Amino acid sequence: MPAYKAPLRDTRFLLNEVLDYPAHYGALAAGAEATPDVVEAILGECARLCEDVIAPLYHSGDEEGCHWENGEVRTPQGFKEAYQAFVEGGWQGLSHPVEYGGQGLPMSLGAIKQEMLGTANWPFAMYPGLSLGAMNTLMMHGSDEQKATYLPPLTEGRWAGTMCLTEPQCGTDLGQVKTRAEANADGSYALTGTKIFISSGEHDLTENIIHIVLARLPDAPKGTRGISLFIVPKFLVDADGSLGARNCVTCGALEKKMGIKASATCVMNFDAATGYLVGPPNQGLECMFTFMNSARIGTAIQGVATAELAYQGALAYARERRSMRALSGTKEPQQVADALLHHGDVRRMLLVQKAVAEGGRMLVYLAAQYADRMIEGILAGDSAKQAHWDDKLGFLTPILKGCLTELGLEAANLGMQVYGGHGYIREHGMEQIVRDARIATLYEGTTGIQALDLLGRKVLLMTRGKAVRQFTGDIAALAWTLLKEEPGMRGKALTLLRLCAQWNWLTLRIALIARKQRDLVGTASHDFLMYAGYVTLAYSWALQERAARQRMRDGGLESLDFYQAKLATSDFYFSRLLPRAKAHAAAMLSPAEKIMELPAEHFAFD
Amino acid sequence: MPAYKAPLRDTRFLLNEVLDYPAHYGALAAGAEATPDVVEAILGECARLCEDVIAPLYHSGDEEGCHWENGEVRTPQGFKEAYQAFVEGGWQGLSHPVEYGGQGLPMSLGAIKQEMLGTANWPFAMYPGLSLGAMNTLMMHGSDEQKATYLPPLTEGRWAGTMCLTEPQCGTDLGQVKTRAEANADGSYALTGTKIFISSGEHDLTENIIHIVLARLPDAPKGTRGISLFIVPKFLVDADGSLGARNCVTCGALEKKMGIKASATCVMNFDAATGYLVGPPNQGLECMFTFMNSARIGTAIQGVATAELAYQGALAYARERRSMRALSGTKEPQQVADALLHHGDVRRMLLVQKAVAEGGRMLVYLAAQYADRMIEGILAGDSAKQAHWDDKLGFLTPILKGCLTELGLEAANLGMQVYGGHGYIREHGMEQIVRDARIATLYEGTTGIQALDLLGRKVLLMTRGKAVRQFTGDIAALAWTLLKEEPGMRGKALTLLRLCAQWNWLTLRIALIARKQRDLVGTASHDFLMYAGYVTLAYSWALQERAARQRMRDGGLESLDFYQAKLATSDFYFSRLLPRAKAHAAAMLSPAEKIMELPAEHFAFD
């Protein structure tokens, strides 16, 4: 069973030595309270909560799962108490406004909290995580009255929230949403329809659940332009804020899933349930998608969490399990065999996990800085600032969500692989990580949807390639600095420059071909996404290696081992994982016709 | 739920048009009975059994799992009846000698049977599959009396067999085996110890179970040279062949696993259980490993089976589920949205599955021809012939077992991915394929062990690179023929020639460096294996494309669509999957020191 230990040394390195969070917070209005002392205290307290209270429920929650009876859902043993501890610690409102009872700290600290929480126990973390989506939506689009009614108990964590999008006939293609909302005389609406795959749709952790629901008004246009957003509380809320009548929204069933079994995935039936319109009619999708990037970064975190937890589990086993002798000669003569850690291929697997976990973590923290600045733009009403950082965040989002969840799954599978046959046995807990990780490439937009979002929307449609030029501009700037200042990184700097040029060239080629052959955007998108991911991780590792080298020169000798391990992992990434970008570069320009012209009926023959 | 349909058109193409099985059987002593009519009848009957009787139990077997009570194991509902139908059809002894009640047909037909059976329901197929291992071991190393006693009921399928190797402290490293065998006065032995992960160790399908057990004699040398092989029947067998006393071998527990839940994975306790020595003392491992290649090819089949079943399931869904409009414009205007099959990235996923399933199937059938010839060498006492084909089979074995199981898992995951969020829900059956496939890279030697077997043993130690030179010789010969005869395949032929040169060069480089830096064999092995796998699949696709082109020229117009689909899949493989070989080639020569010199305690920091 992997016992979670928060990787605080790495988090501190990334915050303080790579991304200069102190300066970032210093320049941020919402960052005034996020002094180094406060940040350090939050990291320590959060780690303690996650290690001691939340992680111990990870495996038992999977074994027990959630229970459904007559529409009521009971979470696994211990979840209620752990959630209570989470609420009492004030963790739910960490990054939300003081006026609603939050701590008013930057969004990025919330992301770091979610990472620890999610690594300790992803299915548990989904309950407060989904609430954040509802809170953000209300904060952005709710009326003052709606905010006053719902945000304080949500911020406290006394209530929870959900996002009700998917229906049986559609997930990706929300234009097919059928749930109807008909006006009541009192200005509320009666919602009728069925939603599926609703995470935290029903549970026993909170006294009320606030559903944010996509539905159609009677006169709504067809497709995506006819969808509106509604609040549907489980219990209606009286004028004084106390709970009123039970609303006609019920959990009809729990989905039986491959994993995240402790997270209640609900079929939700709305039978003329009372709802309240949020934002303008027919603009529900736009409202819902305001925080789409943040939600997707939240899922990217699952990739990092998965890689980290699988790494911790595999490393512990590789140290204690003994099998065969090392190829270069016996390493532990007093033992019956050498530890797995002395075998090259086991080290390779561990280093893949480490490179993904630490490389991905830095990218999440970088994206979180972008989110901080975007939110500052929103709060200051500075739409240019908001747009600038939203664009930067929007470009990184599909790359992180798409690639980190795919690589997180790979890392989870490697965790099983290190255990050999024992990895397949439930009691060791490694297979649970794989099952839980498997959802990450599916929800919040599949990898294929991220790929289309990146190439089709963010790169070609919205920016005509400028997004790539800008991001590779950042990478190239780093590479030129490295060429000047880090002779030990000359090879990596040249590699980065070559990749920047190649990425732009590939983008241009696709743009040109896609003018005539639109399908290329679809057939190339996956390889484009993964290529982008490997280059972006190379950027992460170059930044980390540079910081480690600087610190070693500046006399950071108290952490010499740590920095040397960073250099070794960076070397590993560049020599062992980055070459995969070659394969994706070679594949993406392959003519779309070859894929698209195969008649549908020729995919199989009797 | 994917409904299995045996891909007979593809099997016929591979047997008759690519690998010329009729000629192969014509030249084989054991092939006299395997006339085209007989083969065709077997394919049809086997397909019917698998589709109608065995496949329908795949999902229900997973949901129900096996039941343990007081040492007895009950298989899921329907398994007993299905197994009975299998026995009554004479399927267990298909490729085993007539003198023991078998049908005496070539081993390769048994492999094709196992493929269908395994695609329909892998956990079910494991019961008769494990018996084959026991039967082969007895046939090769048992005394005449042992053969006469055990082989007829095993061949009939009235009894089943197991292979008891793994113990809690060792799986890969069998030198650590502790189970003791002490001589009884009557020439039998008393075996005491615990074995784990014993597939089919206990069940209700047969009246007796014959365990083949690795154990140590009291005076045995330490390590692998002190292990002997024993027969331990569940019920002792009286002189007249009837069942006698219950032996002291019991199932202490069933392992709780990620998947293959309908296959009973047992902890087996031997409490002075009566056993009989098979083969010479202390040569148990050699005896056990005679059919190691065949057993591993049996597991390679799981990769093909997985890819095929996931492909069938995903293709059906991609045809029926509608989401969004195709990038190049609406394809189904009368529908609310276009079918998934009109989206480029969905096609990409399906074609990966198809390329793996069909490419891998051909390689399994090729390896099965090698096995046929090796067995002919054994039966004829022609040790040179045996060694020649065993070497060829031995080289292909780790490539197929290692790569096809890894790619099968990828294909299974793509099957889930095509389903989007629905893929994560148990009722659709796609996630079961992933869970069941996940064992394949772990048992019968992990992927890491296959990689070491290939590079360390078969390539460097045993043949000093000659194995690569020979196999690339086969590939290059094909490529030269293509250059002469198939102008449409010029590009692929040149690619193959380049890969042959590169593979030999990489092998030579590794051999030279490994003289000084032995660890390189370990650190390079995985990338070497996967590189070998991608090149070998390219060979498979080149052979298939060539056959399809020849047939089209020769007027095979009744199957024109089928052949054109082969060409499209071959194009896809060469342009989309084969480029991954570049990444592996680039990674494998990365210096071992970079991985090995990181001190064990520097893998993680508090």
Side-chain angles (χ1 to χ4, degrees):
Chain A
M1 194 73 55
Y4 172 63
K5 184 101 181 50
L8 291 183
R9 180 66 190 90
D10 197 51
T11 295
R12 290 190 190 107
F13 169 70
L14 296 174
L15 295 186
N16 301 324
E17 302 171 44
V18 181
L19 292 166
D20 202 354
Y21 260 65
H24 168 70
Y25 285 152
L28 204 68
E33 304 289 321
T35 60
D37 283 357
V38 167
V39 170
E40 188 55 38
I42 286 173
L43 294 182
E45 283 304 312
C46 190
R48 196 158 25 232
L49 176 76
C50 291
E51 291 170 1
D52 299 348
V53 178
I54 294 171
L57 302 172
Y58 180 56
H59 190 64
S60 60
D62 178 69
E63 288 287 324
E64 184 186 341
C66 288
H67 311 272
W68 181 95
E69 204 175 335
N70 294 326
E72 304 280 309
V73 172
R74 187 156 47 80
T75 54
Q77 219 169 358
F79 270 48
K80 210 167 166 171
E81 294 74 12
Y83 183 77
Q84 203 49 43
F86 174 83
V87 168
E88 281 163 13
W91 291 105
Q92 183 66 324
L94 188 72
S95 303
H96 282 79
V98 174
E99 64 177 304
Y100 302 119
Q103 300 194 39
L105 289 162
M107 180 70 116
S108 53
L109 273 177
I112 295 165
K113 169 199 77 177
Q114 280 297 109
E115 183 217 331
M116 283 198 221
L117 206 62
T119 314
N121 190 337
W122 188 266
F124 177 89
M126 287 180 70
Y127 292 100
L130 266 290
S131 278
L132 294 177
M135 285 156 70
N136 289 340
T137 305
L138 286 172
M139 212 151 45
M140 195 67 190
H141 303 290
S143 67
D144 288 345
E145 192 193 330
Q146 288 168 339
K147 290 187 205 176
T149 305
Y150 299 107
L151 281 177
L154 282 169
T155 304
E156 185 186 342
R158 190 157 48 84
W159 295 359
T162 76
M163 306 294 272
C164 298
L165 289 74
T166 302
E167 299 187 3
Q169 74 285 0
C170 65
T172 297
D173 188 1
L174 290 170
Q176 295 185 46
V177 155
K178 286 182 186 164
T179 297
R180 302 187 318 272
E182 286 168 5
N184 295 324
D186 65 355
S188 68
Y189 292 82
L191 275 81
T192 303
T194 299
K195 296 285 180 179
I196 62 169
F197 300 169
I198 307 307
S199 300
S200 321
E202 178 60 52
H203 55 76
D204 58 356
L205 300 182
T206 57
E207 58 192 47
N208 202 5
I209 300 174
I210 308 305
H211 304 287
I212 306 289
V213 187
L214 289 185
R216 254 178 217 294
L217 293 169
D219 56 350
K222 284 196 170 180
T224 52
R225 290 165 204 282
I227 292 175
S228 305
L229 202 59
F230 298 86
I231 299 171
V232 179
K234 176 179 170 184
F235 288 99
L236 298 178
V237 183
D238 290 336
D240 62 354
S242 64
L243 297 187
R246 180 71 165 85
N247 203 353
C248 302
V249 49
T250 50
C251 173
L254 289 177
E255 301 284 2
K256 290 186 178 181
K257 311 183 301 290
M258 181 188 209
I260 54 167
K261 294 186 180 187
S263 167
T265 307
C266 303
V267 176
M268 297 303 294
N269 297 320
F270 297 81
D271 299 310
T274 301
Y276 310 98
L277 185 67
V278 182
N282 300 329
Q283 292 184 29
L285 274 191
E286 291 85 332
C287 293
M288 188 73 116
F289 286 172
T290 311
F291 282 90
M292 179 61 97
N293 288 331
S294 308
R296 288 182 167 174
I297 292 292
T299 310
I301 289 176
Q302 190 175 359
V304 175
T306 293
E308 176 68 34
L309 189 63
Y311 178 59
Q312 293 192 13
L315 179 59
Y317 192 74
R319 282 180 165 150
E320 98 198 7
R321 175 83 175 181
R322 295 195 155 73
S323 181
M324 315 298 284
R325 293 297 181 187
L327 288 177
S328 55
T330 296
K331 294 287 179 284
E332 301 180 290
Q334 75 290 5
Q335 301 284 353
V336 63
D338 291 336
L340 295 184
L341 193 52
H342 294 297
H343 298 303
D345 190 53
V346 172
R347 285 177 164 244
R348 178 191 64 79
M349 293 192 274
L350 291 168
L351 287 169
V352 172
Q353 297 179 303
K354 187 174 191 286
V356 171
E358 297 176 8
R361 181 175 295 121
M362 183 259 157
L363 294 174
V364 166
Y365 293 179
L366 176 67
Q369 287 187 332
Y370 293 171
D372 280 344
R373 291 181 191 135
M374 181 200 73
I375 289 166
E376 184 155 85
I378 295 177
L379 296 177
D382 181 343
S383 61
K385 183 170 189 175
Q386 174 187 350
H388 176 78
W389 293 106
D390 198 29
D391 284 349
K392 283 182 86 84
L393 180 64
F395 179 74
L396 266 192
T397 295
I399 299 176
L400 267 53
K401 198 287 182 184
C403 297
L404 294 182
T405 58
E406 291 284 347
L407 293 177
L409 183 60
E410 177 178 339
N413 272 304
L414 290 175
M416 282 183 72
Q417 201 66 25
V418 168
Y419 275 65
H422 293 271
Y424 202 65
I425 306 299
R426 291 220 316 248
E427 65 179 297
H428 293 293
M430 300 306 288
E431 61 87 40
Q432 183 190 346
I433 305 176
V434 173
R435 286 187 289 103
D436 288 357
R438 187 62 190 84
I439 188 62
T441 72
L442 297 167
Y443 61 11
E444 286 294 335
T446 61
T447 305
I449 293 300
Q450 305 303 324
L452 279 179
D453 181 45
L454 177 67
L455 177 58
R457 207 159 149 269
K458 308 255 167 90
V459 171
L460 297 181
L461 190 69
M462 287 168 61
T463 71
R464 295 170 177 274
K466 199 176 131 202
V468 174
R469 289 196 296 279
Q470 283 180 335
F471 188 58
T472 53
D474 292 352
I475 300 176
L478 171 68
W480 289 114
T481 306
L482 295 178
L483 282 177
K484 267 183 281 176
E485 297 174 8
E486 293 292 348
M489 294 181 71
R490 185 178 165 77
K492 294 192 181 87
L494 293 174
T495 298
L496 288 175
L497 288 173
R498 203 160 42 233
L499 288 167
C500 288
Q502 187 185 40
W503 194 356
N504 281 292
W505 180 81
L506 289 166
T507 306
L508 188 64
R509 289 289 303 155
I510 292 172
L512 287 174
I513 300 168
R515 282 191 200 164
K516 291 181 187 164
Q517 171 54 287
R518 187 73 195 145
D519 278 323
L520 184 73
V521 178
T523 59
S525 58
H526 176 81
D527 286 299
F528 187 89
L529 173 77
M530 295 308 292
Y531 177 90
Y534 287 114
V535 177
T536 305
L537 275 166
Y539 179 53
S540 169
W541 275 108
L543 282 168
Q544 293 191 53
E545 176 170 346
R546 178 195 182 203
R549 285 177 179 269
Q550 282 176 338
R551 295 287 293 172
M552 284 160 82
R553 265 202 310 276
D554 298 350
L557 298 178
E558 75 290 350
S559 283
L560 192 61
D561 295 343
F562 178 84
Y563 298 133
Q564 280 174 338
K566 282 288 177 192
L567 265 54
T569 315
S570 178
D571 275 357
F572 180 86
Y573 181 79
F574 272 83
S575 60
R576 295 267 167 178
L577 288 177
L578 185 56
R580 297 182 187 179
K582 289 179 204 281
H584 294 293
M588 73 176 82
L589 290 178
S590 170
E593 294 83 348
K594 297 206 172 195
I595 291 184
M596 301 313 292
E597 286 178 359
L598 187 65
E601 61 277 21
H602 292 185
F603 274 74
F605 296 87
D606 282 341
Chain B
M1 195 75 54
Y4 172 63
K5 184 99 183 51
L8 290 183
R9 180 67 191 90
D10 197 51
T11 295
R12 291 190 188 105
F13 169 71
L14 296 174
L15 296 186
N16 301 322
E17 303 171 44
V18 182
L19 291 166
D20 202 355
Y21 260 67
H24 167 71
Y25 286 152
L28 204 67
E33 303 289 322
T35 60
D37 283 355
V38 167
V39 170
E40 187 54 40
I42 286 173
L43 294 182
E45 283 303 313
C46 190
R48 195 156 28 230
L49 176 77
C50 291
E51 291 170 2
D52 298 347
V53 178
I54 294 171
L57 302 173
Y58 181 57
H59 191 64
S60 59
D62 179 69
E63 288 288 322
E64 183 185 342
C66 288
H67 311 273
W68 181 96
E69 205 176 334
N70 293 326
E72 304 279 311
V73 172
R74 186 157 47 81
T75 54
Q77 218 171 357
F79 270 48
K80 209 166 168 173
E81 294 75 13
Y83 183 78
Q84 203 48 42
F86 174 85
V87 168
E88 281 163 13
W91 292 105
Q92 183 68 322
L94 189 72
S95 303
H96 283 79
V98 174
E99 62 178 304
Y100 301 120
Q103 300 194 39
L105 289 162
M107 180 71 116
S108 52
L109 272 177
I112 296 165
K113 169 198 76 177
Q114 280 296 112
E115 183 218 330
M116 283 198 223
L117 207 62
T119 314
N121 191 336
W122 188 266
F124 177 91
M126 288 180 70
Y127 292 99
L130 266 291
S131 276
L132 293 177
M135 286 156 71
N136 289 339
T137 305
L138 286 171
M139 210 151 47
M140 195 67 191
H141 302 290
S143 66
D144 288 344
E145 191 193 330
Q146 288 169 340
K147 289 187 206 176
T149 305
Y150 299 107
L151 281 177
L154 283 169
T155 304
E156 185 187 342
R158 190 158 46 85
W159 295 359
T162 77
M163 306 294 272
C164 299
L165 288 74
T166 302
E167 300 187 1
Q169 75 285 0
C170 65
T172 298
D173 189 1
L174 290 169
Q176 294 186 46
V177 156
K178 286 182 184 163
T179 296
R180 301 187 318 274
E182 286 170 3
N184 294 325
D186 65 355
S188 69
Y189 292 82
L191 275 82
T192 303
T194 299
K195 296 285 179 179
I196 63 169
F197 300 168
I198 306 309
S199 299
S200 320
E202 178 60 50
H203 56 77
D204 57 358
L205 300 182
T206 56
E207 57 191 47
N208 202 5
I209 299 174
I210 309 305
H211 304 286
I212 306 290
V213 187
L214 289 184
R216 254 176 217 295
L217 294 167
D219 56 350
K222 283 196 170 176
T224 52
R225 289 165 204 282
I227 292 174
S228 305
L229 202 59
F230 297 87
I231 298 170
V232 179
K234 175 178 171 184
F235 287 99
L236 299 177
V237 182
D238 291 337
D240 63 355
S242 64
L243 297 188
R246 180 70 165 85
N247 202 353
C248 302
V249 49
T250 50
C251 173
L254 289 177
E255 301 284 2
K256 290 186 177 178
K257 312 184 298 291
M258 182 188 208
I260 53 167
K261 294 185 179 186
S263 166
T265 307
C266 302
V267 176
M268 297 303 294
N269 297 319
F270 296 81
D271 298 309
T274 301
Y276 311 98
L277 186 67
V278 181
N282 300 330
Q283 291 182 30
L285 275 192
E286 290 87 331
C287 293
M288 188 72 114
F289 286 172
T290 311
F291 282 90
M292 178 62 97
N293 289 329
S294 309
R296 288 182 168 174
I297 293 292
T299 310
I301 290 176
Q302 191 175 359
V304 175
T306 292
E308 176 67 34
L309 189 63
Y311 177 59
Q312 293 193 12
L315 180 57
Y317 192 74
R319 283 179 164 151
E320 100 198 8
R321 175 85 175 180
R322 295 195 155 73
S323 182
M324 316 298 283
R325 291 298 180 187
L327 288 177
S328 56
T330 296
K331 295 286 179 284
E332 300 179 292
Q334 76 289 9
Q335 301 285 353
V336 63
D338 290 336
L340 295 184
L341 193 52
H342 294 296
H343 298 303
D345 191 54
V346 172
R347 285 178 163 244
R348 179 191 62 81
M349 294 192 273
L350 291 168
L351 287 169
V352 172
Q353 298 179 303
K354 187 173 191 286
V356 171
E358 297 178 7
R361 180 175 296 121
M362 182 260 155
L363 294 174
V364 165
Y365 293 180
L366 176 67
Q369 287 186 332
Y370 293 172
D372 279 344
R373 292 181 188 134
M374 181 201 73
I375 288 165
E376 183 156 85
I378 294 177
L379 296 177
D382 181 344
S383 61
K385 182 171 188 174
Q386 175 186 349
H388 174 78
W389 292 107
D390 199 30
D391 284 350
K392 283 182 85 83
L393 180 63
F395 179 73
L396 267 192
T397 295
I399 298 176
L400 268 54
K401 198 286 182 184
C403 297
L404 294 182
T405 59
E406 292 284 347
L407 292 177
L409 183 60
E410 177 179 340
N413 272 304
L414 290 175
M416 282 183 71
Q417 200 68 25
V418 169
Y419 275 65
H422 293 270
Y424 201 65
I425 305 300
R426 291 221 314 250
E427 65 177 298
H428 293 293
M430 300 306 288
E431 61 87 39
Q432 183 191 347
I433 305 176
V434 172
R435 286 187 290 103
D436 288 358
R438 188 63 191 85
I439 188 62
T441 72
L442 296 167
Y443 62 11
E444 285 295 335
T446 62
T447 305
I449 293 300
Q450 306 303 324
L452 279 179
D453 181 45
L454 177 67
L455 177 59
R457 208 158 149 269
K458 308 253 167 90
V459 171
L460 297 180
L461 191 68
M462 287 168 62
T463 70
R464 294 171 178 273
K466 200 176 129 201
V468 174
R469 290 196 295 280
Q470 283 180 335
F471 188 59
T472 52
D474 292 352
I475 300 175
L478 171 68
W480 288 113
T481 306
L482 295 178
L483 283 178
K484 266 183 282 176
E485 298 174 8
E486 293 293 348
M489 293 181 71
R490 186 179 164 77
K492 294 192 181 87
L494 293 174
T495 297
L496 288 175
L497 288 173
R498 203 162 39 233
L499 287 166
C500 288
Q502 187 185 39
W503 194 355
N504 281 292
W505 180 82
L506 289 166
T507 306
L508 187 65
R509 289 290 304 157
I510 291 173
L512 287 173
I513 299 169
R515 283 190 198 162
K516 291 182 186 163
Q517 171 54 286
R518 188 72 195 144
D519 278 322
L520 183 72
V521 178
T523 58
S525 58
H526 175 80
D527 287 298
F528 187 89
L529 173 77
M530 295 308 292
Y531 177 90
Y534 287 114
V535 177
T536 305
L537 274 167
Y539 178 54
S540 169
W541 275 110
L543 281 168
Q544 293 191 54
E545 177 171 346
R546 178 195 182 203
R549 286 177 177 270
Q550 282 176 338
R551 295 286 293 170
M552 286 159 80
R553 264 200 310 277
D554 298 349
L557 297 178
E558 75 290 351
S559 283
L560 192 61
D561 296 343
F562 178 84
Y563 299 132
Q564 279 174 338
K566 282 288 178 192
L567 264 54
T569 314
S570 178
D571 275 357
F572 180 85
Y573 180 79
F574 272 83
S575 61
R576 295 268 167 177
L577 288 176
L578 185 56
R580 296 182 187 178
K582 289 179 203 280
H584 293 294
M588 74 176 81
L589 290 177
S590 169
E593 294 84 346
K594 296 205 172 194
I595 290 184
M596 301 314 292
E597 285 178 359
L598 186 65
E601 62 276 21
H602 291 184
F603 274 73
F605 296 88
D606 284 340

